[in-house]
Amino acid sequence: MNHAYEVLLMLDPELPEERQDEIITRSRDLIESRGGTIEKHEPWGRRKLAYEIDHKSDGTYHLLLFSSDPDALDELSRILKITDGVMRHLAVRRPEGKTTSTTTESAAPAEAA
């Protein structure tokens, strides 16, 4: 049974763009080869980190939204842990019908009366 997931990747900002594209392509291929479907790829770009990781103060972020079975997610996480250039990754299951996106508008905060 497929579930909706999202993976946030933090890549080394010094990686050439071709290598970043290769990591994303390999991730997409792995998901699709195991019967999953890619819904969206959002490149968030380079962002400042709250603290240094491996003596780097920036990271390049990519968000992958997809549906797959849990085994595909486990394999993707395993591969990302050992892939050079991936500083961190976070994989979470999305609630049905929900999406985390930079384009999703959040509710406006209530005004103080």
Side-chain angles (χ1 to χ4, degrees):
M1 184 166 127
N2 285 352
H3 298 288
Y5 296 105
E6 59 187 56
V7 173
L8 183 62
L9 298 171
M10 183 187 352
L11 304 179
D12 186 333
E14 296 170 10
L15 281 181
E17 193 168 328
E18 299 81 34
R19 176 64 178 138
Q20 291 183 35
D21 291 343
E22 180 184 328
I23 291 170
I24 299 299
T25 300
R26 286 182 61 207
S27 298
R28 294 173 74 117
D29 291 348
L30 187 140
I31 292 163
E32 290 171 347
S33 71
R34 292 176 167 256
T37 57
I38 301 293
E39 296 167 17
K40 193 173 193 180
H41 167 228
E42 293 183 11
W44 287 5
R46 191 174 181 140
R47 307 248 175 138
K48 194 89 168 142
L49 303 178
Y51 56 89
E52 285 190 359
I53 298 175
D54 297 330
H55 306 290
K56 295 179 182 7
S57 58
D58 292 340
T60 303
Y61 289 82
H62 293 269
L63 180 67
L64 289 174
L65 304 169
F66 63 95
S67 297
S68 73
D69 63 14
D71 293 337
L73 181 66
D74 292 343
E75 180 64 10
L76 179 61
S77 289
R78 186 187 74 78
I79 295 296
L80 291 173
K81 284 179 189 176
I82 61 174
T83 301
D84 290 336
V86 177
M87 294 170 58
R88 296 282 191 277
H89 75 279
L90 175 66
V92 295
R93 183 171 168 190
R94 289 180 293 159
E96 295 301 319
K98 300 288 183 177
T99 181
T100 301
S101 171
T102 56
T103 59
T104 303
E105 293 183 26
S106 60
E111 293 183 26

